[in-house]
Amino acid sequence: DNALTPARVALGRALYFETMLSKDGTVSCATCHDVSRSFTDRRAVSEGVGGQNGKRNAPTTMNAAMLGHQFLDGRSKTLEAQAGQPILNPVEMAMPDRDAAIAKLRTLPRYAPMFREAYGRDVNYADLERAIAAFERTLMFLDAPFDRFLAGDDTAISASAARGWDLYNGKARCVSCHPINATHPLGVDNRFHNNAFPVLREFS
């Protein structure tokens, strides 16, 4: 029920960068999924409102539409199911509930016409989630030098990187859990593996 349209992508882009969706007006999706940092924040753990530190780092939203699950624990199966959760997380964006988030958006005049154009309805939380997911589905990047190397251009990466690729597929056995091929272009198999690390009980 969320086919991509220019209006939905435009609304989602605006919401992705909207700091008013956080309790103190300082944090947006783009704070932890920073365009200039490969759509992550390059921090050991992400920082939310009031300088609070979360339990995990922010996975990239780049190519996230190709993943079988969202969040590092896989608790959401779609981008829509993921998109609204950080807004309500007490550390990340800390809005007390959906109604509070929507009430803040309704104080910003530009959103009512954008929601109506995108979904034919007034500002609401379900369409907020759909719109952010629509924008995130445009964040597809599959033309890196490594992609060109896999396509047959032996000059696209350095000799040392090519040796690393040999190790990846051979002695290091990285490929066992991180296959990279036409079926799995992101180096994940969309499964969960027991790697002998303790399970994190605190979900971010």
Side-chain angles (χ1 to χ4, degrees):
D1 65 345
N2 196 25
L4 287 185
T5 68
R8 291 174 180 182
V9 172
L11 173 59
R13 181 186 296 110
L15 293 169
Y16 188 90
F17 290 94
E18 182 56 74
T19 57
M20 287 291 283
L21 284 172
S22 64
K23 183 178 180 180
D24 63 1
T26 63
V27 178
S28 70
C29 302
T31 302
C32 296
H33 304 284
D34 187 337
V35 174
S36 68
R37 297 182 177 186
S38 301
F39 296 90
T40 183
D41 56 9
R42 297 185 185 172
R43 294 171 54 94
V45 294
S46 294
E47 184 178 293
V49 296
Q52 297 181 88
N53 286 325
K55 300 290 184 182
R56 299 177 176 179
N57 59 6
T60 183
T61 49
M62 183 169 61
N63 298 327
M66 300 179 71
L67 298 174
H69 304 84
Q70 305 298 323
F71 290 112
L72 295 175
D73 54 40
R75 67 186 181 273
S76 293
K77 294 190 181 299
T78 66
L79 290 173
E80 286 81 358
Q82 182 278 329
Q85 293 188 48
I87 297 169
L88 307 178
N89 183 285
V91 171
E92 295 175 30
M93 297 170 78
M95 291 300 290
D97 52 43
R98 290 171 172 81
D99 291 342
I102 292 305
K104 284 188 77 173
L105 278 188
R106 286 176 176 162
T107 68
L108 304 175
R110 69 173 177 151
Y111 281 110
M114 292 181 77
F115 270 81
R116 282 194 293 270
E117 183 180 1
Y119 292 102
R121 295 179 285 265
D122 195 8
V123 180
N124 68 88
Y125 206 81
D127 289 337
L128 172 152
E129 293 173 319
R130 291 186 183 97
I132 293 173
F135 170 63
E136 289 180 345
R137 288 194 174 94
T138 70
L139 304 180
M140 303 295 286
F141 301 92
L142 294 171
D143 191 31
F146 182 67
D147 295 304
R148 296 193 288 276
F149 171 76
L150 290 184
D153 181 359
D154 292 337
T155 66
I157 63 175
S158 67
S160 61
R163 289 194 300 273
W165 178 236
D166 288 339
L167 280 171
Y168 188 98
N169 289 288
K171 189 174 182 179
R173 298 190 301 169
C174 307
V175 72
S176 300
C177 295
H178 300 281
I180 300 178
N181 51 47
T183 304
H184 302 294
L186 303 184
V188 296
D189 61 6
N190 286 311
R191 300 171 60 194
F192 291 90
H193 298 264
N194 184 348
N195 60 7
F197 286 100
V199 175
L200 291 177
R201 299 296 179 186
E202 304 88 350
F203 292 163
S204 61

